[in-house]
Amino acid sequence: MRRTGGLGTVAYYWIAAAVVILDQWTKWLVVRYMQLGESIPIIDNVLYITSHRNRGAAWGMLEGQFWLFYLITVIVVAAIVIYIRRLKPSERLAGVGLGLMLGGAIGNFLDRVFRKEVVDFIHAYIGTYSFPVFNVADSALTVGVILLFVHMFFFATPEKGNE
């Protein structure tokens, strides 16, 4: 049986679109106005805007394996869309999480397709640890996954099968 979130489902696609727009706009600003490697302090020793490029996945893993990223992203985007279409109206937290994940996946996918690299620029320090530089799409993906886990562990109810 196919379930749908009704009109509320459209909101999750709007969230994804907002993430893509914000992600691509901020990346455009970094590419346009900053030199590669340039860093602007926002909060000294805590947060910087740093122009960085990544040709791999998180932390530079699998650098240059674009075909793999294209394939994985297409599969993930399709799975997210299918999952969104099957949400119940009461599963709003999961929908928001999936919308964020969809926007994040598309944002980084666009970079890989058109730039052949991902533009990263948010550079945070946790104590003395320099966290790898990331972007809006990465942030949306992370928050989306967290929201989905919160939904699954605290709010999802197991479905009963026909026994």
Side-chain angles (χ1 to χ4, degrees), residues 47-85:
L47 183 63
Y48 297 82
I49 303 297
T50 301
S51 180
H52 179 75
R53 304 298 181 277
N54 184 352
R55 292 179 179 255
W59 296 280
M61 295 184 299
L62 301 170
E63 186 170 339
Q65 301 296 317
F66 290 108
W67 64 271
L68 181 61
F69 295 121
Y70 297 152
L71 178 64
I72 290 171
T73 303
V74 168
I75 292 168
V76 167
V77 165
I80 291 171
V81 168
I82 289 168
Y83 196 180
I84 286 174
R85 293 176 53 87

Side-chain angles (χ1 to χ4, degrees), residues 94-145:
V96 171
L98 290 166
L100 290 169
M101 292 167 60
L102 181 61
I106 292 170
N108 281 338
F109 181 75
L110 291 172
D111 272 17
R112 288 189 177 102
V113 168
F114 294 110
R115 291 190 173 102
K116 304 299 183 219
E117 61 189 4
V118 175
V119 176
D120 291 324
F121 59 91
I122 303 168
H123 192 185
Y125 285 85
I126 302 170
T128 58
Y129 176 69
S130 173
F131 196 80
V133 185
F134 58 99
N135 58 45
V136 171
D138 298 332
S139 300
L141 280 162
T142 301
V143 172
V145 167

